[in-house]
Amino acid sequence: MSRSDNVLAVREDFGGTSTTLAVQETASSAVAAQAKAMVEARYVMAMRKPRQWAQVRQDLLKECRRPSFAHNKSAYYRKPIGQGVEGLGIRFVEVALRCMTNVLVETSMIFEDDSKEVHRVSVTDLESNVTYPLDVRVTKTVERAKPDSDGSYISVRKNSQNRNVYTVPGTEDDILNKRAAQVSKAIRTLGLRIIPGDLQDEAEDIIKSIRLDEAARDPDGERKRMADAFGEIGVKATDLAEYLGHGLDTCSPAEIVNLRGIYGAICNGESSWKSVMDNKAEQTGKTSSATETTSKPKELPACSADDFDKKKTGWRMAIETEAKTVNDLIAMIQTKTTLTADQKLEIASWANKGSAE
């Protein structure tokens, strides 16, 4: 029997013309063929319906002007690092990628054992054929104030109140929540590399403007809502007053916007109230010491790009091994040299990348 007698179908694709033979396929080859067809179909649709950037901008900014979106805690956050690190959150990235169209977000587990999972997250622009991948490690443990019911635990450490904190195996719900949080952070990080920077800047300005307008229009209502929101995550009104340096009833619209950004960072796991207060104490301490010193304080040398590149391997290792937090590392470095805003941002990014393998 000739080869032509076995041909069942002829199909044209990116690789040219392919034929299907009348032979029994294995399950693996069928899955591979299905995956290939799905990928090719996405690229074909991207070629047939390319995005219109003017329409993308119009749709995205329209979303950002919605008050409910602008006030979403995951649309915009503010990390308490130095004078503050602001950024667009996962909700903004999700909306932006949907408005852009022709963007493929994929997540797959590439490794698993008894202690951890490794997920590969990738974001692909189907029109430019650019892919950004990131491997995310999710440990199957959680920290509790007490050991398991049988008294067992994996490890124990002392927290800032000198109390024991136990590392125990996580439940399915615990692991599910950790996995979702880590994958969301990865998608946000990779998605921001796909979204044009000028659109990010415009969206950021609109979100902050809407938050400020709302706070200025009804400051009393915003103060109450802000206090209630922080109360739900265990932060009291007296804690907010300590952070602000005055009562919450005299909080300005700009301070309300700042608190909303911090609230978003805490809810998304980007920060904690302890790190907020530690950073505040650090900044206040520097200011107080400067005012109490009669002579001009000695200025620390700036950290050059070469020095940063030479030392960042060791610094990054300290973050990835959890020997130091981002705030602690920056504080330690700045006792000897000053860091630029870009250098601080790079150090802060290690906290996300440190979970990748």
Side-chain angles (χ1 to χ4, degrees), residues 68-305:
S68 59
F69 175 80
H71 288 292
N72 189 293
K73 64 180 182 295
S74 298
Y76 190 80
Y77 66 88
R78 179 181 176 86
K79 286 185 182 180
I81 300 176
Q83 297 298 322
V85 176
E86 302 174 329
L88 296 164
I90 179 61
R91 294 296 167 262
F92 168 81
V93 172
E94 289 174 347
V95 168
L97 295 182
R98 186 174 69 248
C99 292
M100 286 177 61
T101 69
N102 296 334
V103 176
L104 175 62
V105 179
E106 294 180 297
T107 302
S108 59
M109 184 185 297
I110 60 175
F111 178 81
E112 181 182 18
D113 60 15
D114 293 337
S115 62
K116 65 179 180 296
E117 301 173 351
V118 180
H119 297 262
R120 176 157 296 166
V121 181
S122 64
V123 177
T124 302
D125 185 347
L126 297 174
E127 293 192 14
S128 62
N129 197 24
V130 173
T131 300
Y132 293 105
L134 181 64
D135 291 347
V136 178
R137 184 170 71 94
V138 181
T139 57
K140 296 183 177 181
T141 59
V142 292
E143 290 190 334
R144 303 285 191 213
K146 297 180 180 179
D148 277 345
S149 57
D150 59 359
S152 63
Y153 57 88
I154 298 174
S155 63
V156 62
R157 67 176 180 86
K158 295 287 186 179
N159 62 12
S160 57
Q161 285 80 36
N162 201 32
R163 297 175 181 173
N164 288 336
V165 177
Y166 298 89
T167 300
V168 299
T171 64
E172 290 187 3
D173 288 340
D174 293 330
I175 298 172
L176 178 63
N177 292 334
K178 290 185 68 174
R179 182 189 304 130
Q182 293 286 63
V183 169
S184 292
K185 290 180 182 179
I187 293 174
R188 184 202 67 206
T189 301
L190 299 176
L192 290 174
R193 302 181 71 176
I194 294 288
I195 304 167
D198 59 325
L199 292 184
Q200 294 184 39
D201 293 340
E202 283 191 82
E204 183 176 324
D205 290 340
I206 290 174
I207 291 173
K208 291 198 293 186
S209 176
I210 290 177
R211 289 186 175 186
L212 187 59
D213 289 345
E214 182 69 21
R217 183 169 59 252
D218 184 17
D220 290 335
E222 278 295 291
R223 294 185 192 112
K224 293 176 182 178
R225 285 189 285 270
M226 207 72 263
D228 293 342
F230 273 101
E232 292 176 357
I233 59 175
V235 180
K236 301 177 182 178
T238 53
D239 297 328
L240 296 176
E242 181 182 354
Y243 171 77
L244 294 169
H246 55 76
L248 192 61
D249 55 341
T250 59
C251 186
S252 68
E255 289 174 323
I256 294 175
V257 173
N258 179 43
L259 287 176
R260 186 176 289 279
I262 292 175
Y263 171 74
I266 294 175
C267 288
N268 293 330
E270 302 284 347
S271 183
S272 65
W273 184 250
K274 180 181 181 301
S275 61
V276 171
M277 295 305 297
D278 288 345
N279 183 73
K280 179 71 173 180
E282 177 188 345
Q283 299 300 315
T284 304
K286 289 179 179 179
T287 303
S288 300
S289 61
T291 55
E292 293 174 357
T293 304
T294 56
S295 60
K296 185 178 180 180
K298 180 181 178 182
E299 294 185 359
L300 295 175
C303 182
S304 66

Side-chain angles (χ1 to χ4, degrees), residues 32-98:
Q34 182 183 28
K36 178 182 178 182
M38 291 178 64
V39 171
E40 290 180 348
R42 291 188 176 102
Y43 278 99
V44 168
M45 291 303 299
M47 293 171 61
R48 290 181 179 178
K49 299 183 65 176
R51 72 174 64 97
Q52 302 294 326
W53 282 109
Q55 188 63 47
V56 171
R57 177 179 178 274
Q58 187 179 69
D59 294 342
L60 178 58
L61 298 188
K62 180 181 178 181
E63 290 285 342
C64 293
R65 290 190 181 97
R66 290 192 298 110
S68 59
F69 175 80
H71 288 292
N72 189 293
K73 64 180 182 295
S74 298
Y76 190 80
Y77 66 88
R78 179 181 176 86
K79 286 185 182 180
I81 300 176
Q83 297 298 322
V85 176
E86 302 174 329
L88 296 164
I90 179 61
R91 294 296 167 262
F92 168 81
V93 172
E94 289 174 347
V95 168
L97 295 182
R98 186 174 69 248

